[in-house]
Amino acid sequence: MTSIILSPVSGIDSGLQLDAGGHSSPETTSVQDQGDLPAPFTGSSLPSTFNGALEHFAFRSSALTSPIGNKYCSSSILTPLSRVVKGKAVEQMASPTPQRTTRSSVPASPSPQTPAARNISTHKRQTSSTASLTQSPSTKKVKRASSAYAPPSTYAHLPNLLTDSLSPALLVLFIGVNPGLRTASSGHAYAHPSNLFWKLLHSSGCTPRRCLPSEDHDLPYLYSLGHTNIVTRATKDAGQLSKVEMDEGVAVLEEKVRKWKPEAVCLVGKGIWESVWRVWKGRGIKKEEFRWGWQEERFAAEDGWSGARIFVATSTSGLAASMRPAEKEAVWKGLGEWVMLRRAEREQGAKAKTKEAETEMKIKAEREAQSAAPGDGPTDEKRVQGNTDRKS
């Protein structure tokens, strides 16, 4: 009887034949000579035996180079298979570093894989695991649902304590969209903690320090700045307003600007300028026509007054996240530079007027002192009195 001895070295077949006496033959056994091998041991139809250990070790080698090939079995089956039968742990002989695998860890019916295929699948698992660990939830952009129109009755039960802060000779009148719920209930402009108005007002240079929302009514006297809104009713955000009421607010703004005559108006938000454009031009503004910053048009011009300059600034609302804070600061910087320049010019002009007034008062005092000095002859009043006495 002839049998096949498979080498325990992975991937190498001995190809030796043993006779009935157990002696080996140097002849190499070809595939055609092995017709007497049982079909169940062919590589294409290995049985699911020994809890899958047979298939597991039949395909451990990366290349079956023996004449028998993988049509029957791998050369690394014999020794590990005997250990599986005895219920002992099986060594994975094809691995560069010896690893021990228990029977419970062997899959029930694994699919044959070459080391190259296993490396690819392992790489995919590692890549997927690494990506899941490195991907931070904060990098995902959360889209907020756009607000739908809310009629005035929606928030009619809430108080609206906000009032305008206006005075003559303002440098800038800031025009917002409408008060938010926090602003309306507190009675102070841009009162929500997430609103960037007071921060941008300071970082741009419009104010030398960062003011508090409670100081909104002190701005005209401290820094010649004022504020108002195009729509007075409060909502959760600007998306709950209609274009009709936004456009209707333009005429109200023009009346305020003509009355107080500020040097410039700052429209805090693109939507305000779009409403003004629709009212003035009778159509919506085109994408190529819009730009941030100073505009060529003047606001509320009339006979004898050229109107206020117009500066279009970004929205400061915490809900307006289409621009980064650095981009908003860059837009507001253009307004702050102009405010600082005009404030310095005003201060110089005020000093010049003060000096001129002091000079006039000094001259007047000197004249009065000269006219009242003794020894200079009778004054006009005494001369008149003397002439009256003579006539009598």
Side-chain angles (χ1 to χ4, degrees):
M1 178 179 179
T2 303
S3 61
I4 301 297
I5 294 180
L6 304 178
S7 172
V9 181
S10 174
I12 303 177
D13 295 327
S14 63
L16 296 179
Q17 292 183 345
L18 297 179
D19 55 15
H23 301 285
S24 62
S25 175
E27 297 180 3
T28 301
T29 304
S30 63
V31 176
Q32 289 79 6
D33 296 336
Q34 302 302 322
D36 58 343
L37 288 177
F41 284 88
T42 59
S44 59
S45 60
L46 290 173
S48 299
T49 56
F50 306 117
N51 290 332
L54 181 61
E55 295 92 325
H56 179 70
F57 286 97
F59 293 92
R60 287 297 296 173
S61 75
S62 59
L64 301 176
T65 57
S66 69
I68 298 178
N70 62 357
K71 181 177 180 182
Y72 291 98
C73 59
S74 168
S75 62
S76 59
I77 292 179
L78 187 58
T79 302
L81 186 58
S82 63
R83 296 181 181 179
V84 172
V85 174
K86 295 179 181 180
K88 297 181 180 180
V90 181
E91 294 180 356
Q92 298 182 3
M93 303 180 62
S95 176
T97 57
Q99 297 180 358
R100 302 188 64 85
T101 305
T102 60
R103 293 175 59 186
S104 60
S105 64
V106 179
S109 180
S111 58
Q113 286 186 347
T114 62
R118 287 195 300 273
N119 292 337
I120 294 175
S121 62
T122 303
H123 176 71
K124 289 182 178 179
R125 289 195 300 270
Q126 292 176 352
T127 305
S128 176
S129 177
T130 304
S132 63
L133 292 175
T134 57
Q135 187 176 11
S136 175
S138 60
T139 59
K140 296 181 180 180
K141 187 175 181 181
V142 179
K143 294 183 179 180
R144 297 184 178 92
S146 57
S147 299
Y149 170 76
S153 59
T154 305
Y155 304 105
H157 62 286
L158 298 178
N160 189 355
L161 306 178
L162 184 67
T163 58
D164 294 340
S165 180
L166 302 170
S167 71
L170 292 175
L171 276 173
V172 181
L173 174 60
F174 292 94
I175 302 175
V177 179
N178 73 314
L181 301 181
R182 175 72 68 87
T183 295
S185 61
S186 66
H188 298 293
Y190 308 98
H192 198 280
S194 66
N195 199 293
L196 301 176
F197 178 80
W198 301 103
K199 179 181 179 181
L200 291 173
L201 204 65
H202 170 54
S203 63
S204 63
C206 293
T207 57
R209 63 178 177 85
R210 182 167 179 174
C211 300
L212 299 174
S214 58
E215 298 178 276
D216 56 348
H217 290 285
D218 298 331
L219 289 180
Y221 312 104
L222 293 175
Y223 309 113
S224 298
L225 305 175
H227 67 81
T228 186
N229 291 296
I230 189 173
V231 178
T232 58
R233 75 180 183 96
T235 58
K236 178 182 177 182
D237 54 50
Q240 295 183 330
L241 300 174
S242 66
K243 290 184 178 181
V244 174
E245 56 188 331
M246 289 278 291
D247 295 351
E248 290 176 350
V250 175
V252 180
L253 289 178
E254 290 177 331
E255 293 179 1
K256 293 180 181 180
V257 173
R258 290 191 183 102
K259 178 180 179 180
W260 299 104
K261 291 181 172 54
E263 289 192 28
V265 294
C266 176
L267 309 183
V268 187
K270 179 181 178 181
I272 306 174
W273 181 233
E274 291 175 342
S275 293
V276 173
W277 188 280
R278 282 195 300 268
V279 174
W280 288 359
K281 308 289 186 179
R283 61 174 177 84
I285 187 172
K286 299 179 181 179
K287 184 177 180 180
E288 60 272 13
E289 294 174 329
F290 175 81
R291 67 175 182 272
W292 298 107
W294 295 107
Q295 308 297 318
E296 297 178 356
E297 294 82 1
R298 291 267 181 166
F299 201 90
E302 61 179 356
D303 295 339
W305 187 54
S306 59
R309 296 189 65 186
I310 302 174
F311 187 93
V312 179
T314 63
S315 173
T316 61
S317 173
L319 299 176
S322 59
M323 297 180 66
R324 298 179 180 178
E327 296 174 334
K328 294 183 178 182
E329 288 184 1
V331 174
W332 279 76
K333 197 68 177 178
L335 177 65
E337 293 174 352
W338 179 85
V339 169
M340 290 189 292
L341 177 62
R342 287 294 300 125
R343 186 173 287 135
E345 292 175 352
R346 281 192 175 190
E347 291 177 356
Q348 292 178 358
K351 290 179 180 179
K353 289 182 179 180
T354 301
K355 186 176 182 179
E356 183 179 354
E358 291 176 352
T359 303
E360 291 180 355
M361 291 179 62
K362 185 177 181 180
I363 294 174
K364 183 179 180 180
E366 290 177 354
R367 288 177 180 177
E368 291 178 354
Q370 291 177 359
S371 61
D376 293 340
T379 60
D380 293 340
E381 187 175 325
K382 291 181 178 180
R383 291 192 186 97
V384 172
Q385 183 66 31
N387 294 334
T388 305
D389 294 341
R390 291 190 192 99
K391 289 181 181 179
S392 60

